[in-house]
Structure formats: C-alpha cells, structure tokens
Amino acid sequence: MRVLFTVWPAPAHLNTMVPLALALQAKGHEVRVASHPDLAGAVTATGLTAVALEAAGGMPALSTGGDYVPGEAEREQLAAVWDVSPDERRQWTMVTTYLLTTLRMFHPVRLAPDDPHPGVDGLVDFARAWRPHLVLWDPCWPAAAVAARCSGAAQARLLWGPDYWQWARDKCERHAAGMAAAGVADPLLEPLRTAAHRYDVEADDELLFGQWTIDPTLEDVRLAATTRTLPMRRLPHTAPAVVPDWLLRPAPRPRVALSLGMSGRDFWSNDALVGALLETVAGLDVEVVATLNERQLTGVKVPDNVRVISYLPLNELLPHCSAIIHHGGGGTFTAAVAHRVPQLIEVDDGPEAEFYAACAVRHGAGLPLSHTKDSVPEMRERLLSVLNDPSFRRGAHSLYADWAAMPSPRDVVPALERLVELGAPSAGRP
C-alpha cells in the first residue's frame, strides 16, 4: 500500500505523524511525507522520504504567516454571528487566530481558476503521478483531500490536538442564516472551495473532515465531534540529539524540566513568560533544565540553579525529572504523560494550554500557572506542591494509564489496511 502524509510545515505537526508513518513503513508499506520544501530536512531526519512541494510562483515563506491572520474586524464579526459564549472563547481564539491563518497560507481565496495554486497544485500533481492508496493529512492542509479525490485514494485527517475544525463547522451550520444575512462567507469552506473548483471537485464536508479522522488526543481532552473517528495513542516524538553525560548521572536534588515547545522557539521569544518562570525557580533547592534558545533568553538573567541547553529531546530528559513546567502544547503534554511526570502548565501562552491544564488537574497530575495573573511566590508555591506532594505522582500514573489504554500507531495500521481494502466510506459525515 502506498501512503501519502501531508503535514503543515511545523516540526510540532510533523512529530505527531511520525510514529504512525514509521509503523506503516515497518509493516512494509511505501510512505511519503509531502510538505513545504523548508520541512524536507526534518522529514528525512526521521528516516522517512520527503516530497518537497513546489509550485509555479513558489510556496509562501513561513515568515509571511502574519499576512494571513484574520483582521480584528473579521474576528469580531464572526464572534457576533456565531454567538460565541464566554465558555467558548478558547475555541474561537484558536480557530480565528491560528487555524484560519494556517489554512489561508496554502489555500488562498483570491485566485482565478487559471492562476497557480501553491500548496494545491504540487499535491495534486504528485498524487496523480504516485497514485497513493491512502492519503493522511494535517487538518491545516485539506487540499490533500482534493489530491486524494483526484487520484482515487482513500483519505483521512490525522489530528494533532482537539478538533477545533469540528467546533467551527458546527458553528457555521448552526448560524448559517445569520451568516448569510450578514454577508459572512464560510471561513472554512471558502478557502478550500477555490482549490476544489480548480480541479472540478465538489467542495463538501468530506474535504474538511476526511472520510474518517484519526484522533490521537485523550478522550477527556477531545471536543464533541460527529465524524467517524479512529482513536490512536499519541507517541511523543522529537528530533534526535546527542545525550549529554551529565543527564545520566544522578541529580543531587530534584530535577525540573522547563520547556516552551518547538513552535515557541521558532516564532516568538516569550520574554515576559521566560523571565517570570526563571524568577519562580531562582533560589529553590532544585536543578532546572531549561530547553531555551538564545533568542528566548535575550535580556533575561539565568539563575545559578538553571542549566540551559538549547535542545534536548523530552524523551531523554523527562525520565530524569520530578516535574516539568511547560507552555501547554500537545506534544509536551503527551511526553509528560508518557513518562508519568507531574506537570505545571502555563495557560497564558495559548487557548490550547487550558484544555491540557484542565485535564492534568482532573487527574491530579498537575496544576495550572498564569504568569500574568499569579505572583512569583504563588507560582513557586505551586511548583513546590507538585514536587513534594506524592499525590501528584499518583495522578501522573492515572493519566498515564488512560493514555496507555489507547491503541498504539502499530495497532492502528491493520485498521487502516482494512478500511482501504473495504473501500472509502460514503462521502460526507454520518
């Protein structure tokens, strides 16, 4: 079986897909990973084969992402038409500041049918030439579903977090009349419609949601969904690195990891957050290992009990740690769960963090932090509680048990084989 993965060009998105891609490859299937040329090196470093998508006019540079962010007026209009409640502000923020931005980068809406379509044409050309049996795609790149339909392949989304797309689509359907009266276009389907029409493909919900969805999130982190879902345990995967000798030696005092994720390293400095967290751990009888780069540390004083290393895989670091302080990204959260490490999750860094923090609290596996609302003494007290109260370690074991009960990527491979063999499900959502 030939399987084509399409991934939005961020290492954090790639890392979610790698374990399943390697499991398919180990079973003897041919695997290709298509993305922006800038991600090709990261793909090949995993042992997978990259397809660098090129197009006439060139692919948008990732540094231009700010050009695609919805304006404040558009965001507020959507909030009003969708009647977003205070309890839904996290989902709305994630959709309107991140998901729509990533969607529009490679699915531009103001193109004539004869214009080159970067992010779409290369995918369709490759799929028609290679003829995959199955296309598994990042929800930020639904043009892969167009390529699947053009080449006759079965296709499914592979999520990397809660299904915000489903939440947004439900809002569109529930408030369709209000959107029409206000002249508001469907923000999800409209960018995809241009690509679909270019290839005489119907722009329907199957292009947005796949014929089924592979969901690697824990059950109590998921948003309500009506899509066909195949659950899969998310395995923590990170880029390789050389393990330093000091990590293998027993630490004389509790070791605490501090990580703000891969995307934070690449796209923002987190200067206020970094300063607050370093001030929190300063002077405590702990050894902090902070995986921060030079840009994140600009203008910040590093305490004596903090060891800075620009990059160290969490799979190597966390087995030697008593706790982790992090930004609430899905990959970091999963790594902590997999290694049964109690967590302190900073919830100001993005709306996704609140979902993971709430999950950790429900299991007694961690506590939230807010560097904008909590004082340094308050954050320090929470860290000491997580380190000294054995109930947090028991909670981390409880969370691990839920995670371990999910099917692994290797377990999912036979299910994918059967689904492709049986033929694609009927179009649309059940």
Side-chain angles (χ1 to χ4, degrees):
M1 185 167 73
R2 291 184 296 277
V3 184
L4 175 63
F5 286 77
T6 302
V7 55
W8 203 88
H13 290 219
L14 171 65
N15 289 343
T16 305
M17 294 187 167
V18 168
L20 179 57
L22 291 176
L24 283 159
Q25 188 167 265
K27 191 72 180 295
H29 300 297
E30 294 182 67
V31 175
R32 300 289 183 271
V33 181
S35 190
H36 193 289
D38 288 353
L39 198 69
V43 172
T44 56
T46 69
L48 296 167
T49 300
V51 177
L53 298 174
E54 300 282 3
M59 293 282 284
L62 299 184
S63 60
T64 66
D67 298 341
Y68 301 89
V69 178
E72 190 62 28
E74 179 184 359
R75 294 177 68 239
E76 290 301 330
Q77 185 180 38
L78 270 178
V81 173
W82 284 357
D83 191 24
V84 175
S85 69
D87 291 341
E88 297 174 311
R89 298 297 287 191
R90 291 177 294 182
Q91 294 95 307
W92 174 80
T93 299
M94 191 69 177
V95 167
T96 57
T97 60
Y98 182 72
L99 299 190
L100 293 186
T101 300
T102 57
L103 177 64
R104 291 172 182 183
M105 278 195 74
F106 302 117
H107 306 77
V109 296
R110 294 180 179 84
L111 292 177
D114 293 334
D115 291 337
H117 284 53
V120 181
D121 294 341
L123 264 177
V124 173
D125 290 345
F126 179 78
R128 283 175 167 172
W130 196 54
R131 306 292 295 180
H133 299 94
L134 173 63
V135 177
L136 299 176
W137 48 275
D138 188 316
C140 294
W141 208 321
V146 176
R149 199 172 285 181
C150 288
S151 60
Q155 53 92 6
R157 292 186 305 161
L158 175 49
L159 298 177
W160 37 258
D163 196 351
Y164 306 103
W165 302 97
Q166 174 77 72
W167 177 85
R169 188 63 182 147
D170 289 346
K171 282 291 186 182
C172 287
E173 292 178 350
R174 193 174 302 123
H175 300 286
M179 291 175 65
V184 176
D186 186 319
L188 300 181
L189 269 181
E190 197 60 30
L192 192 54
R193 201 184 309 277
T194 303
H197 287 179
R198 177 170 172 78
Y199 291 97
D200 296 322
V201 168
E202 182 182 357
D204 55 25
D205 277 4
E206 186 178 283
L207 294 188
L208 279 175
F209 296 103
Q211 293 164 329
W212 62 88
T213 294
I214 302 172
D215 191 340
T217 58
L218 285 163
E219 185 173 354
D220 64 354
V221 177
R222 294 177 198 160
L223 296 172
T226 58
T227 51
R228 298 181 184 91
T229 300
L230 183 62
M232 182 186 75
R233 187 191 323 154
R234 180 173 179 169
L235 298 184
H237 175 86
T238 50
V242 177
V243 178
D245 291 342
W246 57 261
L247 184 62
L248 303 179
R249 294 193 293 268
R253 48 190 175 169
R255 184 172 281 156
V256 176
L258 195 166
S259 173
L260 299 181
M262 296 298 296
S263 297
R265 297 165 60 86
D266 295 335
F267 298 112
W268 56 87
S269 63
N270 309 95
D271 50 352
L273 171 59
V274 171
L277 294 180
L278 291 180
E279 186 180 356
T280 295
V281 301
L284 296 180
D285 189 25
V286 296
E287 177 189 292
V288 177
V289 181
T291 57
L292 302 172
N293 61 18
E294 184 177 345
R295 187 164 63 90
Q296 290 173 305
L297 292 170
T298 301
V300 176
K301 182 180 179 181
V302 178
D304 293 338
N305 63 334
V306 175
R307 184 193 297 268
V308 174
I309 182 166
S310 181
Y311 176 72
L312 183 60
L314 291 178
N315 281 340
E316 303 297 337
L317 173 59
L318 288 179
H320 306 277
C321 291
S322 300
I324 180 172
I325 303 169
H326 67 91
H327 66 304
T332 308
F333 173 81
T334 300
V337 171
H339 293 286
R340 289 168 270 192
V341 176
Q343 309 181 47
L344 286 145
I345 301 177
E346 161 60 45
V347 297
D348 292 330
D349 196 53
E352 193 173 23
E354 297 186 38
F355 287 105
Y356 293 115
C359 178
V361 170
R362 282 194 296 272
H363 284 265
L367 294 172
L369 294 179
S370 170
H371 76 282
T372 63
K373 298 176 183 176
D374 299 333
S375 68
V376 167
E378 288 172 330
M379 293 194 291
R380 187 172 292 161
E381 182 180 354
R382 292 189 181 190
L383 172 58
L384 293 174
S385 294
V386 166
L387 287 171
N388 297 325
D389 185 342
S391 70
F392 287 100
R393 180 67 64 174
R394 291 194 297 269
H397 280 261
S398 169
L399 195 50
Y400 170 85
D402 282 1
W403 172 82
M406 297 176 67
S408 72
R410 186 173 59 182
D411 297 330
V412 167
V413 170
L416 293 175
E417 292 169 336
R418 288 194 299 271
L419 286 168
V420 173
E421 183 180 351
L422 290 170
S426 58
R429 290 187 289 165

